[in-house]
Amino acid sequence: MSALNVFVNSTRVMMLTDSSLYLPDGTVVAFEPKAFLVDSWNGAISGRGDCAGITVALNLAERFGSFDEFIARSAPEIERRHRDGLAIAGPGQTTIEIHAVGWSERADRPRAFVLRSLIEHRAGEPAYVWLDHDEEDGCFYHSMSALELWRLHRQGAEPRVDFDAETFDPRRHGIPLMEAQRREIGDAAYCAQAAGRHLVGGAVWLTVVDREGARQGMIHEWPDAVGEPIQPAPFDDARWPRILPMDMGPAWNFDRFKRALDGGAIDPETFALDRVRLAVIEAQAPSSPGGLSRQQRRAAAVQLKKGRVDAA
């Protein structure tokens, strides 16, 4: 299955997709963008699974005069056409997952939605209904193993830990995210033939929609080749700092960890933590999306004062 990630903040929606097209055995046959701008309204369509889903959605999208109208009225027709196709389909991929992103004139802000056909492991989710990404805190990405999430955190790029929809950066966070999904293998829940194969390849395409319009372009490329299976490079374990042991409390974001490591509050060999030194570093940390909250600063100040008392 393709990689598809969507992040919706207060001013824009950003969608990341790969570009590899492949046979059921995983062999690459072409590289093409998988997100498509809509001519009749400010937005874009993408998807995973059977490419017929995107084709149907794009054809319907051009019939509506606005993004809001498309979301309000298109689902029944997408369902009807998909079910008609299933009646004559042969073996292979039949699941559809369609993403529509655009500027909502009604809400005067960017919005993003996903519609899926019936999927066994999503039995509690309504099929053929547009579901709002607002329910995902504006961060939509497909599940990954705990190992890959851990690796992302080491790079300062774990979703909802090191960034949120407002602070998401397509290059700093998005490319490592796509690399992690590239290392994962296909999900049999979507297509039995995809199981055990690497399916994310070609390039990372970024689609952005805001009040001014929709635009897209390539921001990263992989050395994949037509006629060959996708072979992701292994994670460069030596390049990135390790994560703090669990006994140091709740998970730290990467900026805090790197600040403590660079400031000498953490021994890089033993991970011994000098809490007094950490308090000094955090009391001086700059205010930023990756910095400390007011509550963390107060706690650092208390720890600093306590350390001085203990040292006296």
Side-chain angles (χ1 to χ4, degrees):
M1 295 289 283
S2 303
L4 199 158
N5 306 283
V6 182
F7 299 92
V8 191
N9 62 34
S10 56
T11 61
R12 64 181 61 87
V13 54
M14 293 166 281
M15 180 163 61
L16 296 174
T17 52
D18 75 313
S19 64
S20 61
L21 304 179
Y22 41 81
L23 297 173
D25 66 359
T27 301
V28 174
V29 295
F31 302 107
E32 295 182 7
K34 298 180 182 179
F36 304 91
L37 304 186
V38 179
D39 292 333
S40 59
W41 41 262
N42 182 7
I45 298 288
S46 187
R48 307 201 315 157
D50 187 350
C51 62
I54 301 178
T55 302
V56 168
L58 272 174
N59 289 339
L60 286 175
E62 301 296 353
R63 299 185 183 185
F64 295 98
S66 72
F67 174 66
D68 295 312
E69 186 182 6
F70 173 73
I71 295 300
R73 297 177 52 194
S74 62
E77 182 65 11
I78 293 173
E79 178 179 6
R80 184 187 69 78
R81 293 194 185 188
H82 184 240
R83 291 190 182 279
D84 287 348
L86 289 177
I88 58 173
Q93 175 65 270
T94 57
T95 300
I96 62 171
E97 177 182 298
I98 304 169
H99 292 256
V101 302
W103 186 267
S104 169
E105 297 174 3
R106 187 175 302 159
D108 193 31
R109 67 178 181 88
R111 299 191 72 181
F113 296 83
V114 59
L115 175 150
R116 299 182 182 90
S117 58
L118 185 63
I119 302 174
E120 185 176 348
H121 74 281
R122 290 182 174 271
E125 179 182 281
Y128 302 108
V129 173
W130 287 113
L131 301 176
D132 195 336
H133 284 335
D134 284 352
E135 299 176 9
E136 307 265 0
D137 299 324
C139 297
F140 177 92
Y141 53 94
H142 290 280
S143 61
M144 290 169 283
S145 67
L147 174 61
E148 289 299 345
L149 289 173
W150 176 69
R151 288 169 169 172
L152 283 170
H153 185 45
R154 291 175 65 185
Q155 300 170 79
E158 182 180 353
R160 296 192 175 95
V161 175
D162 300 304
F163 68 88
D164 58 21
E166 290 294 333
T167 59
F168 172 72
D169 181 284
R171 293 184 183 276
R172 180 183 176 188
H173 305 127
I175 292 176
L177 177 62
M178 294 285 282
E179 290 279 11
Q181 292 168 336
R182 175 176 166 84
R183 288 190 294 268
E184 298 275 59
I185 57 176
D187 187 349
Y190 280 87
C191 177
Q193 293 169 309
R197 308 183 191 283
H198 297 287
L199 302 174
V200 176
V204 179
W205 281 77
L206 170 65
T207 301
V208 179
V209 180
D210 56 20
R211 187 189 299 275
E212 305 305 317
R215 52 207 177 274
Q216 61 185 179
M218 185 191 303
I219 63 171
H220 184 74
E221 191 170 12
W222 291 298
D224 299 319
V226 171
E228 300 291 336
I230 293 170
Q231 297 178 322
F235 179 72
D236 188 353
D237 190 74
R239 180 181 176 187
W240 301 101
R242 298 169 184 149
I243 288 298
L244 293 172
M246 295 300 293
D247 61 2
M248 287 188 177
W252 292 13
N253 67 35
F254 180 79
D255 288 339
R256 186 187 185 201
F257 171 69
K258 193 70 165 59
R259 188 165 49 238
L261 186 66
D262 292 345
I266 299 172
D267 185 313
E269 297 299 326
T270 66
F271 286 101
L273 178 64
D274 183 338
R275 295 189 180 276
V276 175
R277 179 61 186 154
L278 176 66
V280 173
I281 294 168
E282 296 197 334
Q284 299 172 348
S287 298
S288 70
L292 301 172
S293 67
R294 186 177 302 174
Q295 182 178 1
Q296 286 174 317
R297 289 181 183 282
R298 286 198 296 266
V302 169
Q303 182 64 40
L304 178 59
K305 183 177 180 180
K306 180 179 182 296
R308 286 172 177 164
V309 170
D310 290 343

